[in-house]
Amino acid sequence: MKIGFIGLGNMGGPMAANLAKAGHEVTGFDMADVAIEGVTLVDSAAAAATGADVVITMLPNGQILRTVADEILPAMTKGAAHVDCSTVDVDSAKAVAEQAEAAGLLAVDAPVSGGVGGAAGGTLTFMAGGSNAGFAKAAPLFEIMGQKAVHCGASGAGQSAKICNNMILGVTMIATCEAFALADKLGLDRQKMFDVVSTSSGYSWTMNAYCPAPGVGPKSPADNAYQPGFAADLMLKDLRLSQQAAESADADTPMGQIATDLYAQFVESEDGQGMDFSAMLPRFEKRGRG
Ligand code: NAD
């Protein structure tokens, strides 16, 4: 397949490289100066999109996605597919899909889970929204870049699944960190705390796979001075998207709101900027109830 790939950053770069390695003809564009193995770079998003069977975007946010869509959709060949893998707001995902379909294109929103390790290793999970025809066209590429792709429903459904997942992740990380900080103050050994919780009803991905306590559980950013990993400010972005979606769907998400407020405080007024999202643990350790 001829693939256009726009947004070759931490995630997009290795995803594009994996497509090229699998034998696809990949033409890429990024605003920044990048070099990606096997990818032919061109000097505009429209040039990367011209003549492609599938155009993939992997961009920072919905506003940038809308701007790039204005450039690429008119340049694309009718019947081709636009697959957006960025994490963006549901409204932008739906608007861009409508614009693509009006131009005679297939459209899929397909955000990912798995982080930069998953992007490099081709083990991402894709959660997709859009028509059956769009999903079918993108599916062979999801197989190369990931290990699982779930077709969640119509346009926007992929983004909906992503922000619901990440709302759970943010809330759970906070709960895990505050429980560790409480256990510390109760004089409990951290390894014992891990041994109990990781095999009891308090277990979770944040405890078992991404433990926020250094030296305990599998290797995680806590063992690397809380360098990301998954940055606290990206967690904040996703939590804000969840609350924006909750507002427009009139859904009651009090835990999601508290997690959003705590990450906002951590990133904007405390020392969370540039730290992994599990650095909530040292934050809680420093605080008492007052
Ligand atoms: P990144 O900042 O490393 O990459 C984004 C790239 O987009 C950059 O290289 C930037 O130069 C480029 N870009 C920005 N505006 C552009 C434009 N107008 N035209 C062309 N290129 C442009 O970010 P990332 O970590 O690769 O994340 C990309 C998306 O994936 C985000 O939506 C993020 O929320 C999501 N995501 C990230 C992770 C992660 O662990 N990093 C995990 C899952 C999902």
Side-chain angles (χ1 to χ4, degrees), residues 140-166:
L141 305 183
F142 295 154
E143 248 170 62
I144 295 165
M145 297 183 285
Q147 61 183 357
K148 189 172 178 71
V150 180
H151 189 188
C152 300
S155 292
Q159 297 296 348
S160 300
K162 169 77 184 175
I163 59 178
C164 289
N165 179 75
N166 279 25

Side-chain angles (χ1 to χ4, degrees), residues 7-161:
L8 299 162
N10 292 329
M11 295 292 290
M15 289 163 72
N18 282 336
L19 292 172
K21 201 158 63 180
H24 292 292
E25 192 184 321
V26 186
T27 304
F29 172 71
D30 194 289
M31 267 188 7
D33 208 5
V34 294
I36 311 292
E37 204 176 337
V39 176
T40 306
L41 294 171
V42 289
D43 60 6
S44 72
T50 303
D53 302 300
V54 176
V55 177
I56 300 176
T57 44
M58 193 51 167
L59 297 161
N61 59 49
Q63 206 173 351
I64 294 175
L65 170 66
R66 287 177 190 246
T67 309
V68 169
D70 285 342
E71 291 173 45
I72 60 173
L73 299 180
M76 287 173 63
T77 312
K78 283 207 183 339
H82 172 222
V83 180
D84 177 49
C85 294
S86 331
T87 302
V88 303
D89 56 288
V90 175
D91 291 344
S92 292
K94 286 183 179 168
V96 166
E98 257 172 46
Q99 195 181 343
E101 280 162 3
L105 303 165
L106 298 168
V108 184
D109 55 288
V112 302
S113 179
V116 287
T123 57
L124 295 168
T125 295
F126 288 84
M127 35 214 110
S131 64
N132 289 338
F135 184 76
K137 187 142 187 166
L141 305 183
F142 295 154
E143 248 170 62
I144 295 165
M145 297 183 285
Q147 61 183 357
K148 189 172 178 71
V150 180
H151 189 188
C152 300
S155 292
Q159 297 296 348
S160 300

